[in-house]
Amino acid sequence: VRRERVDLPLVADFTLGLSQMQAGKDGITPRRPAPKPNEFYKISLCKHFMQGECPFGDGCHFAHGEHELKRFPKKGEEGHDDGEGGGEGEELTENMFSNQENTTVDYYRGGSVGGAGENGKPTPILEPENAAFFIIRAAAQTDLATSTVKKEWYVQRKHAEKMNTAFHAGKLVMVFFYVSDSSHIQGSALMTSMATYQESMDDKEIDNSKNNGNGNGNGRFCYRFKCDWYRTTELPVSTAFAVAPSLLLPTQQTQLVEDMTVKTGEAVMKAIWNSPIVTLYECFTGEKEPPKDDAILTDFRCPNLNPGSKEISWPVFPGPGFIFGTSASTMDECLGRGILGLPAHMKHVASGIQPGSPIFLFNVTDRLLFGIFEALTPATMNIEPRAFSKNPKATSSPFPVQIRVRVSLECPPLEDTDPILNDVLRTRVGGRIGPLTHAQASALASLLAVQCGAMQFMTEYSTAVNRGDRNVQTPPIALPPRKIQVGATGQ
């Protein structure tokens, strides 16, 4: 019977037809299970498309660009197969770990940064021979994040004179920034003004010898120059030394600003522009929306600069961090042995882990993020060959890239659906497991510390110390897990 168009539904619904097709002869008893949806539709990038052209076109089941990427369905969501086990959850498999390409490129890049191409803003220096290069040692990443917003930096007089000489000669002055003890160069900025004396920053009571380590009377940081930031990154100094062997890093024992030859400066500049873009700050309070897509190039963020702001980050090692994976069946072994592992193909990705690195553990079964851990060793092959293996005679673990850890702060876990957690890890393409930038590691540690009340202990302790209270009680190293409810009163 042909029905009039006005009597037809706007959207066709084939649900009833499918149920009848799958029913037995009586129309009620199921004859065969319903076809399972394709869980893997558009959850990873198409290799053909990335190489130039995909023969399947719009019918391809893989994503043609990051804008098409979909999140893998979680347990209980539509499109997720719970399996026959009735909700036993997921087990840890090698497929859950990001491959090297996703981990080292897509994750750090933060999605499309298309405004000036995938490499971000182009370098302003096209003729290195007409430029001058300096590298500055900073105390912390938060200082650099603040500089990206305020577009200024303070140096000592002796360094201001050298930088001003190059600027006054009409040269483009490129400044690289290196963070103490992080073993990473964090970005580059272009000097846009002479470094001028700021009397308000000149504390003449400060002993100069304590500021520059050599007592030459130039120790006060009261010379300010304006700057435009062009790239924020996390370039390992080992990579910088490989491309520029004559690079001399600034130190507290020598001087805090070092100049470079044109050849060295050009090599470091190219290495920075070949490194993925990262943010230097991630908000963990939920008060700020993260930058969108290519806004990462211009929408710089930093901790709240308003006087009286209570935004204090939990102190972590100044380098990058890492999220390891576990399951319900291996969780106790991870904590009991104090060993976390990764599959062999992630050996290179884990090479940035060093003693002190902030470490987190994601339970793929319960979808919970645990922390805060601290790495005691660099990533090493088969610290314990029998770890995570059902074979007591195993000579190699199924997750052989291993580190030893200790609990830095015991906190209640974060649920995978936590909105702030997802903001901080918004650029993750290949799953939760993998490397973290310092900004992300600091934000996750701070978020966990807030939940268990440790942040409040630290804030009260810091305030008391700053006002000279010698009787203040030192906060406990590790606190029992206790989730603070919003709006709760009392301790």
Side-chain angles (χ1 to χ4, degrees):
V1 178
R2 185 179 182 86
R3 299 168 61 185
E4 296 294 332
R5 183 67 185 89
V6 293
D7 296 329
L8 297 176
L10 295 177
V11 179
D13 184 0
F14 298 99
T15 305
L16 180 59
L18 285 174
S19 64
Q20 290 175 340
M21 289 169 57
Q22 294 156 5
K25 293 181 180 181
D26 58 2
I28 300 175
T29 306
R31 182 174 60 190
R32 56 191 170 96
K36 298 176 181 178
N38 183 1
E39 297 179 304
F40 305 101
Y41 183 75
K42 301 288 187 184
I43 68 166
S44 61
L45 292 171
C46 172
K47 292 184 178 179
H48 298 294
F49 178 82
M50 298 296 289
Q51 293 172 357
E53 184 177 359
C54 175
F56 302 102
D58 294 337
C60 182
H61 285 204
F62 295 90
H64 286 184
E66 295 184 356
H67 65 283
E68 287 189 4
L69 281 173
K70 298 182 181 296
R71 180 170 56 88
F72 191 96
K74 299 175 185 176
K75 180 182 175 182
E77 291 183 342
E78 183 179 356
H80 184 278
D81 176 22
D82 282 329
E84 301 294 332
E88 288 183 355
E90 297 179 274
E91 289 299 312
L92 195 66
T93 65
E94 188 165 331
N95 292 333
M96 293 179 178
F97 295 85
S98 306
N99 61 43
Q100 182 174 333
E101 180 181 358
N102 280 347
T103 302
T104 58
V105 179
D106 297 332
Y107 174 61
Y108 281 130
R109 182 168 290 163
S112 173
V113 290
E118 288 196 351
N119 289 326
K121 293 169 66 176
T123 173
I125 297 180
L126 302 179
E127 298 177 347
E129 62 276 10
N130 295 323
F133 300 91
F134 295 86
I135 184 167
I136 293 179
R137 179 181 182 269
Q141 281 87 350
T142 52
D143 296 331
L144 299 182
T146 301
S147 175
T148 64
V149 174
K150 301 182 74 172
K151 297 185 176 183
E152 62 183 24
W153 192 261
Y154 286 84
V155 294
Q156 299 159 306
R157 177 182 174 181
K158 61 176 181 177
H159 302 311
E161 292 174 348
K162 185 175 292 188
M163 296 176 74
N164 283 344
T165 299
F167 187 85
H168 185 70
K171 293 185 177 182
L172 293 177
V173 179
M174 174 67 75
V175 181
F176 308 125
F177 291 91
Y178 163 73
V179 176
S180 310
D181 304 321
S182 74
S183 300
H184 288 79
I185 297 175
Q186 297 285 175
S188 59
L190 189 69
M191 186 176 180
T192 58
S193 77
M194 300 277 283
T196 56
Y197 174 71
Q198 305 294 313
E199 185 175 4
S200 61
M201 300 298 294
D202 189 358
D203 188 350
K204 297 181 176 60
E205 296 181 359
I206 295 179
D207 181 4
N208 292 334
S209 65
K210 293 181 180 180
N211 282 280
N212 61 9
N214 55 24
N216 65 2
N218 289 318
R220 295 186 290 273
F221 294 84
C222 51
Y223 285 79
R224 181 186 67 188
F225 66 87
K226 294 289 186 178
C227 59
D228 279 340
W229 279 77
Y230 273 76
R231 197 168 183 89
T232 53
T233 186
E234 213 160 52
L235 173 68
V237 294
S238 57
T239 303
F241 282 131
V243 299
S246 60
L247 172 64
L248 186 63
L249 292 177
T251 67
Q252 187 73 31
Q253 290 70 35
T254 56
Q255 55 184 2
L256 303 181
V257 180
E258 294 282 358
D259 57 350
M260 302 180 183
T261 64
V262 171
K263 181 179 178 180
T264 298
E266 182 182 9
V268 173
M269 180 178 67
K270 288 180 178 179
I272 289 177
W273 255 263
N274 283 323
S275 297
I277 298 170
V278 305
T279 56
L280 297 182
Y281 166 77
E282 291 286 350
C283 179
F284 62 89
T285 63
E287 297 176 355
K288 300 178 182 178
E289 289 289 331
K292 304 295 184 181
D293 298 328
D294 61 349
I296 189 177
L297 303 174
T298 55
D299 187 8
F300 295 116
R301 306 295 179 91
C302 72
N304 195 330
L305 299 176
N306 295 328
S309 171
K310 297 182 179 180
E311 185 179 347
I312 301 177
S313 298
W314 186 259
V316 295
F317 185 79
F322 210 98
I323 297 179
F324 280 73
T326 185
S327 66
S329 60
T330 59
M331 184 77 177
D332 289 343
E333 184 175 3
C334 286
L335 299 179
R337 291 182 184 270
I339 290 179
L340 308 181
L342 297 166
H345 76 265
M346 295 190 74
K347 180 180 179 180
H348 176 73
V349 179
S351 62
I353 299 174
Q354 55 184 304
S357 295
I359 303 296
F360 305 87
L361 185 61
F362 183 68
N363 188 318
V364 300
T365 308
D366 301 323
R367 312 298 297 179
L368 296 173
L369 183 72
F370 292 83
I372 309 165
F373 301 92
E374 178 184 330
L376 298 178
T377 65
T380 306
M381 296 298 289
N382 286 307
I383 294 177
E384 175 49 68
R386 292 182 295 276
F388 319 118
S389 174
K390 296 180 181 179
N391 180 5
K393 297 182 180 180
T395 57
S396 180
S397 168
F399 301 106
V401 183
Q402 300 172 356
I403 64 169
R404 293 192 183 276
V405 297
R406 75 174 184 90
V407 176
S408 175
L409 185 70
E410 188 178 354
C411 306
L414 292 172
E415 296 181 0
D416 193 38
T417 55
D418 187 291
I420 300 179
L421 171 66
N422 282 278
D423 277 349
V424 173
L425 300 181
R426 64 192 177 278
T427 57
R428 175 74 64 162
V429 174
R432 291 292 188 226
I433 302 165
L436 297 169
T437 66
H438 170 77
Q440 290 168 325
S442 176
L444 292 185
S446 300
L447 188 57
L448 286 162
V450 167
Q451 280 204 142
C452 70
M455 188 69 79
Q456 182 177 348
F457 272 98
M458 188 190 72
T459 303
E460 293 174 352
Y461 174 76
S462 299
T463 302
V465 169
N466 290 336
R467 67 169 178 256
D469 187 353
R470 297 183 178 181
N471 297 320
V472 61
Q473 182 178 358
T474 304
I477 295 176
L479 300 171
R482 180 170 65 92
K483 189 170 182 177
I484 305 300
Q485 301 296 330
V486 176
T489 58
Q491 297 296 326

